[in-house]
Structure formats: structure tokens, C-alpha cells
Amino acid sequence: MRVIRGIGSFVKELLEEFVGEAALTLLVCLTLAGPALAFVWGWQRSPLAAEGVGGALLAFLCYGAWELSRPPREGRRRRLAGAAATTFAVAALFLTYAASCTC
């Protein structure tokens, strides 16, 4: 009986890990493909607007990276800075993960 329970536990853990990894891969790939498709669609409509939005997004991500690299001080971080830092951190994690997956 113990052997059957041990095998069942192993199979359950293996399936949970497989499903979790597949869900994370799908989430990352769709999250990276969405903005890319939106940029291509925007480029077909108006290249100037697509460049402007892309530049604004890049500036926002750079601001988040700059906020994360500054030493923390009491009362300095506001909502925009926190949102930019969080967005940069999530984007960096997704890009790091996407570089290792085969999307």
C-alpha cells in the first residue's frame, strides 16, 4: 500500500509541476506576443504613433529601473515610481524567463 501511495504522490506532483510550467510558459509567451502584435498593428495604422507609444513605454520602464537602482529613502517613492519599478521588475522577470523558453 505504501508503494502505491508513494507512486501516486509522485505522479500527482509530476503532473502539478508540468501543468504549472505549461501555464507559466503560456502566460509569458502571450504576455510578450501581445505588445508585439499591438505594435505591428499600430505600425500599420500610424508609424509615428506606434513609435511614440513604444518610446513612452520604454521611458516608463527605464524610469522604473532607475527608481529600483536608487537607494531607498523615507517618503520618496510615490505611486508612479512604485508602478514603474514594479512594471520594470515584472518585465525583466518575464524577459528572463522568455529567453530560456521555446516560445
Side-chain angles (χ1 to χ4, degrees):
M1 261 333 227
R2 285 186 184 182
V3 174
I4 294 173
R5 285 187 190 149
I7 292 172
S9 174
F10 172 76
V11 170
K12 180 183 173 193
E13 183 179 338
L14 182 69
L15 286 175
E16 287 175 351
E17 189 172 325
F18 177 74
V19 169
E21 185 74 23
L24 183 62
T25 300
L26 182 66
L27 174 71
V28 168
C29 289
L30 290 177
T31 302
L32 293 176
L37 290 174
F39 183 78
V40 169
W41 179 81
W43 186 268
Q44 292 172 351
R45 301 279 184 215
S46 172
L48 184 62
E51 288 176 1
V53 170
L57 181 61
L58 185 62
F60 186 69
L61 289 173
C62 289
Y63 175 60
W66 181 64
E67 279 294 326
L68 283 177
S69 67
R70 293 172 64 186
R73 286 192 198 144
E74 193 64 36
R76 185 180 63 190
R77 185 164 284 176
R78 301 281 183 214
R79 288 184 198 167
L80 180 64
T86 303
T87 303
F88 173 77
V90 169
L93 285 173
F94 275 8
L95 286 174
T96 302
Y97 185 80
S100 67
C101 80
T102 56
C103 296

